[in-house]
Amino acid sequence: MSLPTLDQIHIGIIGLGYVGLPLAVEFGKHYPVVGFDISRERIAELEAGHDSTLEVEDEMLAAASRLSFSADPEALRACNVYIVTVPTPISGQKQPDLTPLLKASETLGGLVSRGDIVIYESTVYPGATEEDCIPVIERHSGLRFNEDFFAGYSPERINPGDKEHRVTTIKKVTSGSTPEVADLVDALYRSIITAGTHKASSIRVAEAAKVIENTQRDLNIALVNELAIIFNKLGIDTEEVLEAAGTKWNFLPFRPGLVGGHCIGIDPYYLTYKAQSVGYIPDVILAGRRINSNMGAYVADEMVKAMLKRRIHVAGSRILILGLTFKENCPDLRNTRVIDIVQALREYGAEVDVYDPWVDPQEAGDEYGIEPLTTVPEGTYDGIMLAVAHREFRALGAESIRRWGKPEHLLYDLKYVLPADAVDLRL
Protein backbone atom coordinates (compact mmCIF):
# COMPACT_ATOMS: atom_id res chain seq x y z
CA MET A 1 0.00 0.00 0.00
CA SER A 2 1.62 3.27 -1.10
CA LEU A 3 1.28 6.39 1.06
CA PRO A 4 0.64 9.86 -0.35
CA THR A 5 3.58 12.18 -0.81
CA LEU A 6 3.53 15.64 0.74
CA ASP A 7 2.48 17.26 -2.52
CA GLN A 8 -0.49 14.86 -2.74
CA ILE A 9 -1.83 15.51 0.75
CA HIS A 10 -5.34 16.91 1.23
CA ILE A 11 -6.08 17.46 4.92
CA GLY A 12 -9.36 17.24 6.80
CA ILE A 13 -9.42 18.63 10.34
CA ILE A 14 -12.26 17.44 12.58
CA GLY A 15 -13.04 19.91 15.36
CA LEU A 16 -12.38 23.65 15.06
CA GLY A 17 -11.93 24.76 18.64
CA TYR A 18 -8.84 26.12 20.39
CA VAL A 19 -6.71 23.29 18.96
CA GLY A 20 -8.19 22.55 15.54
CA LEU A 21 -8.58 26.06 14.15
CA PRO A 22 -5.00 27.30 14.67
CA LEU A 23 -3.75 24.03 13.17
CA ALA A 24 -6.11 24.33 10.19
CA VAL A 25 -4.95 27.90 9.56
CA GLU A 26 -1.27 26.94 9.53
CA PHE A 27 -1.80 23.91 7.31
CA GLY A 28 -4.16 25.96 5.11
CA LYS A 29 -1.27 28.21 4.11
CA HIS A 30 0.49 25.24 2.45
CA TYR A 31 -2.01 22.44 1.76
CA PRO A 32 -5.65 22.11 0.71
CA VAL A 33 -7.51 21.84 4.02
CA VAL A 34 -11.15 21.30 4.94
CA GLY A 35 -12.00 22.38 8.46
CA PHE A 36 -15.02 20.45 9.77
CA ASP A 37 -17.09 21.14 12.87
CA ILE A 38 -20.53 19.87 13.89
CA SER A 39 -21.53 23.40 14.98
CA ARG A 40 -23.04 25.28 12.04
CA GLU A 41 -22.80 28.49 14.07
CA ARG A 42 -19.05 27.96 14.41
CA ILE A 43 -18.69 27.31 10.68
CA ALA A 44 -20.73 30.44 9.87
CA GLU A 45 -18.55 32.72 11.99
CA LEU A 46 -15.34 31.27 10.52
CA GLU A 47 -16.64 31.65 6.98
CA ALA A 48 -17.41 35.27 7.91
CA GLY A 49 -13.73 35.65 8.84
CA HIS A 50 -13.87 35.78 12.63
CA ASP A 51 -12.85 33.46 15.48
CA SER A 52 -14.82 34.04 18.68
CA THR A 53 -12.24 32.13 20.77
CA LEU A 54 -9.71 34.87 19.85
CA GLU A 55 -7.02 32.27 19.21
CA VAL A 56 -6.73 33.27 15.54
CA GLU A 57 -6.79 36.89 14.44
CA ASP A 58 -8.99 37.82 11.48
CA GLU A 59 -5.98 38.61 9.27
CA MET A 60 -4.41 35.21 10.03
CA LEU A 61 -7.67 33.51 9.14
CA ALA A 62 -7.73 35.36 5.83
CA ALA A 63 -4.11 34.37 5.13
CA ALA A 64 -4.97 30.65 5.04
CA SER A 65 -5.81 30.77 1.33
CA ARG A 66 -6.24 27.00 0.90
CA LEU A 67 -8.56 26.52 3.88
CA SER A 68 -12.31 25.98 3.58
CA PHE A 69 -14.94 25.21 6.21
CA SER A 70 -17.94 22.91 6.38
CA ALA A 71 -20.41 21.32 8.79
CA ASP A 72 -21.11 18.57 6.22
CA PRO A 73 -18.93 15.44 6.62
CA GLU A 74 -19.19 14.83 2.88
CA ALA A 75 -16.95 17.87 2.35
CA LEU A 76 -14.14 15.72 3.82
CA ARG A 77 -14.56 13.00 1.20
CA ALA A 78 -11.62 14.14 -0.96
CA CYS A 79 -9.15 14.21 1.96
CA ASN A 80 -6.48 11.57 2.47
CA VAL A 81 -5.09 12.76 5.83
CA TYR A 82 -7.55 13.34 8.67
CA ILE A 83 -6.59 15.12 11.89
CA VAL A 84 -8.91 14.75 14.90
CA THR A 85 -8.88 17.63 17.40
CA VAL A 86 -12.10 17.12 19.36
CA PRO A 87 -12.32 17.59 23.16
CA THR A 88 -11.64 14.74 25.59
CA PRO A 89 -13.54 15.68 28.77
CA ILE A 90 -14.24 13.70 31.91
CA SER A 91 -17.58 12.52 33.30
CA GLY A 92 -19.17 13.64 36.55
CA GLN A 93 -17.47 10.64 38.14
CA LYS A 94 -14.08 11.91 36.90
CA GLN A 95 -13.77 9.11 34.35
CA PRO A 96 -12.53 9.67 30.77
CA ASP A 97 -15.35 10.54 28.40
CA LEU A 98 -14.32 9.43 24.93
CA THR A 99 -17.72 10.19 23.40
CA PRO A 100 -16.56 13.07 21.14
CA LEU A 101 -13.53 11.03 20.05
CA LEU A 102 -15.55 7.90 19.29
CA LYS A 103 -18.19 9.88 17.39
CA ALA A 104 -15.45 11.50 15.30
CA SER A 105 -14.06 8.02 14.64
CA GLU A 106 -17.51 6.84 13.53
CA THR A 107 -17.69 9.74 11.09
CA LEU A 108 -14.25 8.88 9.77
CA GLY A 109 -15.30 5.27 9.35
CA GLY A 110 -17.69 6.43 6.64
CA LEU A 111 -14.99 8.50 4.90
CA VAL A 112 -11.59 6.80 4.95
CA SER A 113 -10.29 5.08 1.84
CA ARG A 114 -7.37 2.78 1.15
CA GLY A 115 -4.07 4.51 1.88
CA ASP A 116 -5.56 7.22 4.10
CA ILE A 117 -4.02 8.31 7.41
CA VAL A 118 -5.94 9.32 10.54
CA ILE A 119 -3.98 11.42 13.04
CA TYR A 120 -5.32 12.05 16.54
CA GLU A 121 -4.30 15.13 18.53
CA SER A 122 -6.77 14.89 21.43
CA THR A 123 -5.31 14.10 24.85
CA VAL A 124 -5.93 10.46 25.81
CA TYR A 125 -4.43 7.71 27.97
CA PRO A 126 -1.76 5.45 26.45
CA GLY A 127 -3.41 2.94 24.13
CA ALA A 128 -6.62 4.86 23.41
CA THR A 129 -5.86 5.52 19.73
CA GLU A 130 -5.20 1.90 18.80
CA GLU A 131 -7.46 0.19 21.36
CA ASP A 132 -10.52 2.46 21.37
CA CYS A 133 -10.59 4.66 18.25
CA ILE A 134 -9.13 2.53 15.48
CA PRO A 135 -11.57 -0.39 16.03
CA VAL A 136 -14.45 2.04 15.52
CA ILE A 137 -13.02 3.14 12.17
CA GLU A 138 -12.46 -0.49 11.16
CA ARG A 139 -16.01 -1.44 12.09
CA HIS A 140 -17.64 1.42 10.20
CA SER A 141 -15.35 1.36 7.15
CA GLY A 142 -14.77 -2.36 6.64
CA LEU A 143 -11.07 -1.55 6.17
CA ARG A 144 -8.15 -3.16 8.01
CA PHE A 145 -5.79 -1.11 10.17
CA ASN A 146 -2.20 -0.95 8.92
CA GLU A 147 -3.19 -2.76 5.75
CA ASP A 148 -5.83 -0.49 4.21
CA PHE A 149 -5.51 2.65 6.35
CA PHE A 150 -3.04 3.96 8.93
CA ALA A 151 -2.88 6.11 12.01
CA GLY A 152 -0.71 8.66 13.75
CA TYR A 153 -0.74 10.56 17.01
CA SER A 154 0.65 14.05 17.48
CA PRO A 155 -0.55 15.58 20.77
CA GLU A 156 -1.76 19.16 20.75
CA ARG A 157 0.31 21.73 22.60
CA ILE A 158 -1.95 24.75 22.37
CA ASN A 159 -1.88 27.22 25.28
CA PRO A 160 -5.12 29.26 25.03
CA GLY A 161 -4.59 33.00 25.13
CA ASP A 162 -0.82 32.71 24.67
CA LYS A 163 0.26 34.85 21.72
CA GLU A 164 3.94 33.98 22.11
CA HIS A 165 3.82 30.18 22.14
CA ARG A 166 1.75 29.27 19.10
CA VAL A 167 1.31 26.22 16.86
CA THR A 168 4.43 26.79 14.78
CA THR A 169 6.70 27.87 17.64
CA ILE A 170 6.10 24.89 19.95
CA LYS A 171 8.06 21.71 19.27
CA LYS A 172 5.69 18.95 18.14
CA VAL A 173 5.74 15.29 19.14
CA THR A 174 4.78 12.97 16.28
CA SER A 175 4.26 9.25 15.80
CA GLY A 176 2.81 6.72 13.37
CA SER A 177 1.41 3.21 13.31
CA THR A 178 4.24 1.98 11.04
CA PRO A 179 7.76 3.34 10.55
CA GLU A 180 6.82 4.66 7.09
CA VAL A 181 3.70 6.39 8.42
CA ALA A 182 5.69 7.84 11.32
CA ASP A 183 8.13 9.35 8.81
CA LEU A 184 5.33 10.87 6.74
CA VAL A 185 3.46 12.26 9.77
CA ASP A 186 6.69 13.77 11.05
CA ALA A 187 7.49 15.32 7.68
CA LEU A 188 3.97 16.74 7.41
CA TYR A 189 4.16 18.53 10.76
CA ARG A 190 7.77 19.52 10.22
CA SER A 191 6.68 21.38 7.08
CA ILE A 192 4.77 23.93 9.23
CA ILE A 193 6.39 23.71 12.69
CA THR A 194 9.36 26.07 12.76
CA ALA A 195 10.32 24.87 16.25
CA GLY A 196 10.86 21.35 14.87
CA THR A 197 9.46 17.94 15.76
CA HIS A 198 10.28 14.97 17.98
CA LYS A 199 9.38 11.61 16.44
CA ALA A 200 8.35 9.14 19.15
CA SER A 201 8.97 5.42 18.69
CA SER A 202 5.27 4.54 18.94
CA ILE A 203 1.80 6.01 19.25
CA ARG A 204 1.61 4.82 22.87
CA VAL A 205 4.81 6.69 23.77
CA ALA A 206 3.43 9.89 22.20
CA GLU A 207 0.11 9.46 24.06
CA ALA A 208 1.94 8.93 27.35
CA ALA A 209 4.20 11.95 26.77
CA LYS A 210 1.19 14.18 26.33
CA VAL A 211 -0.77 12.99 29.33
CA ILE A 212 2.18 13.41 31.71
CA GLU A 213 2.93 16.99 30.59
CA ASN A 214 -0.11 18.35 32.38
CA THR A 215 0.02 15.76 35.16
CA GLN A 216 3.45 17.11 36.06
CA ARG A 217 2.15 20.68 36.12
CA ASP A 218 -0.86 19.62 38.19
CA LEU A 219 1.38 18.06 40.83
CA ASN A 220 3.71 21.04 40.98
CA ILE A 221 0.78 23.41 41.47
CA ALA A 222 -0.67 21.07 44.09
CA LEU A 223 2.60 21.28 45.98
CA VAL A 224 2.62 25.09 46.09
CA ASN A 225 -1.10 25.09 46.93
CA GLU A 226 -0.35 22.89 49.93
CA LEU A 227 2.58 25.12 50.86
CA ALA A 228 0.29 28.16 50.68
CA ILE A 229 -2.12 26.51 53.10
CA ILE A 230 0.73 25.65 55.48
CA PHE A 231 2.29 29.12 55.31
CA ASN A 232 -1.11 30.73 55.85
CA LYS A 233 -1.48 28.77 59.09
CA LEU A 234 2.03 29.87 60.08
CA GLY A 235 1.30 33.51 59.31
CA ILE A 236 3.91 33.69 56.53
CA ASP A 237 3.36 35.40 53.17
CA THR A 238 3.56 32.66 50.51
CA GLU A 239 4.66 34.98 47.69
CA GLU A 240 7.56 36.27 49.76
CA VAL A 241 8.65 32.68 50.46
CA LEU A 242 8.45 31.74 46.78
CA GLU A 243 10.36 34.84 45.72
CA ALA A 244 13.13 34.04 48.21
CA ALA A 245 13.29 30.38 47.18
CA GLY A 246 13.24 31.43 43.53
CA THR A 247 16.70 32.97 43.86
CA LYS A 248 18.08 29.43 43.55
CA TRP A 249 18.75 28.64 39.88
CA ASN A 250 16.83 25.35 39.77
CA PHE A 251 13.76 26.31 41.83
CA LEU A 252 10.65 25.94 39.67
CA PRO A 253 8.52 29.14 39.47
CA PHE A 254 5.08 27.70 40.18
CA ARG A 255 2.45 29.75 42.03
CA PRO A 256 -0.61 28.65 44.02
CA GLY A 257 -4.09 29.05 42.62
CA LEU A 258 -7.09 27.47 41.00
CA VAL A 259 -6.48 24.67 38.49
CA GLY A 260 -9.14 24.60 35.79
CA GLY A 261 -9.33 24.52 32.03
CA HIS A 262 -9.42 21.66 29.55
CA CYS A 263 -5.90 20.34 30.26
CA ILE A 264 -4.29 20.48 33.70
CA GLY A 265 -7.48 19.82 35.63
CA ILE A 266 -8.63 17.04 33.27
CA ASP A 267 -5.69 15.15 31.79
CA PRO A 268 -4.42 13.52 35.03
CA TYR A 269 -7.71 11.62 35.31
CA TYR A 270 -6.97 9.94 31.97
CA LEU A 271 -3.68 8.65 33.34
CA THR A 272 -5.09 7.61 36.72
CA TYR A 273 -7.92 5.76 34.98
CA LYS A 274 -5.49 3.80 32.85
CA ALA A 275 -3.20 3.11 35.82
CA GLN A 276 -6.09 1.73 37.87
CA SER A 277 -7.25 -0.39 34.93
CA VAL A 278 -3.94 -2.28 35.11
CA GLY A 279 -4.09 -2.64 38.89
CA TYR A 280 -2.00 0.28 40.13
CA ILE A 281 -3.31 3.03 42.43
CA PRO A 282 -1.51 6.32 41.54
CA ASP A 283 -1.58 7.79 45.04
CA VAL A 284 0.61 10.83 44.40
CA ILE A 285 -1.30 11.95 41.29
CA LEU A 286 -4.68 11.49 42.98
CA ALA A 287 -3.50 13.36 46.08
CA GLY A 288 -2.45 16.30 43.92
CA ARG A 289 -5.83 16.29 42.21
CA ARG A 290 -7.63 16.33 45.57
CA ILE A 291 -5.63 19.33 46.76
CA ASN A 292 -6.24 21.31 43.59
CA SER A 293 -9.90 20.35 43.38
CA ASN A 294 -10.48 21.70 46.90
CA MET A 295 -8.78 25.07 46.43
CA GLY A 296 -11.97 26.91 45.45
CA ALA A 297 -13.66 25.95 48.71
CA TYR A 298 -10.48 26.75 50.64
CA VAL A 299 -10.15 30.32 49.37
CA ALA A 300 -13.86 30.92 49.92
CA ASP A 301 -13.47 29.78 53.53
CA GLU A 302 -10.45 32.06 53.98
CA MET A 303 -12.41 35.02 52.70
CA VAL A 304 -15.33 34.29 55.00
CA LYS A 305 -13.06 34.01 58.05
CA ALA A 306 -11.32 37.27 57.17
CA MET A 307 -14.64 39.06 56.76
CA LEU A 308 -15.88 37.77 60.11
CA LYS A 309 -12.70 38.98 61.83
CA ARG A 310 -13.53 42.45 60.51
CA ARG A 311 -17.08 42.08 61.86
CA ILE A 312 -18.50 42.02 58.33
CA HIS A 313 -21.59 39.80 58.32
CA VAL A 314 -21.27 37.19 55.60
CA ALA A 315 -24.91 36.10 55.41
CA GLY A 316 -26.62 38.73 53.29
CA SER A 317 -23.31 40.34 52.28
CA ARG A 318 -22.49 41.28 48.69
CA ILE A 319 -19.29 39.87 47.24
CA LEU A 320 -17.74 40.68 43.86
CA ILE A 321 -15.64 38.10 42.03
CA LEU A 322 -13.32 39.55 39.40
CA GLY A 323 -12.80 37.00 36.65
CA LEU A 324 -14.64 33.83 35.62
CA THR A 325 -12.49 32.30 32.86
CA PHE A 326 -10.10 29.51 33.75
CA LYS A 327 -7.05 31.68 32.99
CA GLU A 328 -6.12 35.27 32.29
CA ASN A 329 -6.61 37.14 29.01
CA CYS A 330 -8.65 34.34 27.48
CA PRO A 331 -12.43 33.87 27.01
CA ASP A 332 -12.31 30.12 27.73
CA LEU A 333 -14.79 29.06 30.44
CA ARG A 334 -14.23 25.32 30.20
CA ASN A 335 -13.84 23.69 33.61
CA THR A 336 -13.23 27.03 35.32
CA ARG A 337 -12.81 26.51 39.05
CA VAL A 338 -13.88 30.05 39.85
CA ILE A 339 -17.36 28.57 39.91
CA ASP A 340 -16.35 26.59 43.03
CA ILE A 341 -15.71 29.88 44.85
CA VAL A 342 -19.02 31.34 43.72
CA GLN A 343 -20.94 28.28 44.90
CA ALA A 344 -19.12 28.08 48.24
CA LEU A 345 -19.73 31.76 49.03
CA ARG A 346 -23.41 31.43 48.13
CA GLU A 347 -23.67 28.51 50.53
CA TYR A 348 -22.58 30.93 53.27
CA GLY A 349 -25.52 33.14 52.36
CA ALA A 350 -23.60 35.77 50.43
CA GLU A 351 -24.95 37.41 47.30
CA VAL A 352 -22.22 36.93 44.69
CA ASP A 353 -21.72 38.97 41.52
CA VAL A 354 -19.17 38.19 38.82
CA TYR A 355 -17.46 40.67 36.52
CA ASP A 356 -15.30 39.47 33.64
CA PRO A 357 -14.81 41.57 30.48
CA TRP A 358 -13.56 38.51 28.58
CA VAL A 359 -16.57 36.21 28.87
CA ASP A 360 -19.52 35.71 26.57
CA PRO A 361 -22.54 36.40 28.84
CA GLN A 362 -24.69 33.82 27.05
CA GLU A 363 -22.05 31.12 27.46
CA ALA A 364 -21.66 31.97 31.16
CA GLY A 365 -25.42 31.66 31.58
CA ASP A 366 -25.70 28.42 29.63
CA GLU A 367 -22.73 26.73 31.32
CA TYR A 368 -22.95 27.96 34.88
CA GLY A 369 -26.20 29.89 35.34
CA ILE A 370 -24.25 33.09 35.93
CA GLU A 371 -25.20 36.47 34.50
CA PRO A 372 -21.96 38.49 34.56
CA LEU A 373 -22.09 42.19 35.28
CA THR A 374 -21.52 44.54 32.37
CA THR A 375 -20.77 47.47 34.70
CA VAL A 376 -19.80 47.42 38.36
CA PRO A 377 -21.58 49.76 40.79
CA GLU A 378 -19.30 51.71 43.12
CA GLY A 379 -19.56 51.50 46.90
CA THR A 380 -21.56 48.26 46.78
CA TYR A 381 -19.53 45.28 47.98
CA ASP A 382 -18.55 43.93 51.38
CA GLY A 383 -15.92 41.72 49.80
CA ILE A 384 -13.99 41.75 46.51
CA MET A 385 -11.97 38.79 45.27
CA LEU A 386 -9.56 39.13 42.35
CA ALA A 387 -9.70 35.58 40.98
CA VAL A 388 -8.31 35.89 37.42
CA ALA A 389 -5.36 38.09 36.47
CA HIS A 390 -6.83 39.73 33.36
CA ARG A 391 -4.82 42.67 32.03
CA GLU A 392 -7.83 44.92 32.61
CA PHE A 393 -7.68 44.26 36.36
CA ARG A 394 -3.92 44.85 36.44
CA ALA A 395 -4.46 48.18 34.68
CA LEU A 396 -7.14 49.24 37.18
CA GLY A 397 -4.96 48.84 40.25
CA ALA A 398 -6.06 48.48 43.86
CA GLU A 399 -7.37 52.03 44.30
CA SER A 400 -9.84 51.77 41.42
CA ILE A 401 -10.92 48.26 42.38
CA ARG A 402 -11.57 49.36 45.96
CA ARG A 403 -14.05 51.96 44.71
CA TRP A 404 -16.44 49.07 44.11
CA GLY A 405 -16.36 48.26 47.82
CA LYS A 406 -18.24 49.74 50.74
CA PRO A 407 -16.30 51.98 53.16
CA GLU A 408 -15.58 48.81 55.18
CA HIS A 409 -14.76 45.91 52.84
CA LEU A 410 -12.22 43.15 52.25
CA LEU A 411 -10.03 42.85 49.15
CA TYR A 412 -8.63 39.35 48.51
CA ASP A 413 -6.02 38.93 45.74
CA LEU A 414 -5.64 35.30 44.64
CA LYS A 415 -3.23 36.04 41.81
CA TYR A 416 -0.66 38.44 43.31
CA VAL A 417 -1.78 41.08 40.83
CA LEU A 418 -1.75 43.93 43.33
CA PRO A 419 0.97 45.06 45.78
CA ALA A 420 0.87 43.21 49.10
CA ASP A 421 0.30 46.42 51.07
CA ALA A 422 -2.68 47.35 48.86
CA VAL A 423 -4.79 44.27 49.67
CA ASP A 424 -6.20 42.71 52.82
CA LEU A 425 -5.61 39.07 51.98
CA ARG A 426 -3.49 37.04 49.56
CA LEU A 427 -3.44 33.32 48.81
Side-chain angles (χ1 to χ4, degrees), residues 82-94:
Y82 300 93
I83 303 178
V84 180
T85 61
V86 298
T88 43
I90 55 174
S91 69
Q93 292 72 43
K94 295 182 170 53

Side-chain angles (χ1 to χ4, degrees), residues 222-234 236 238 242 256-257 295 298 416 426-427:
L223 172 61
V224 293
N225 274 337
E226 189 162 60
L227 293 175
I229 294 170
I230 293 169
F231 294 144
N232 179 55
K233 291 183 177 297
L234 295 174
I236 302 173
T238 302
L242 294 175
M295 284 306 290
Y298 171 78
Y416 307 114
R426 298 206 296 180
L427 180 56

Side-chain angles (χ1 to χ4, degrees), residues 42-59:
R42 177 66 166 160
I43 295 300
E45 76 167 41
L46 294 175
E47 288 182 329
H50 180 67
D51 169 29
S52 61
T53 71
L54 306 182
E55 283 303 299
V56 176
E57 295 84 354
D58 292 357
E59 57 271 21

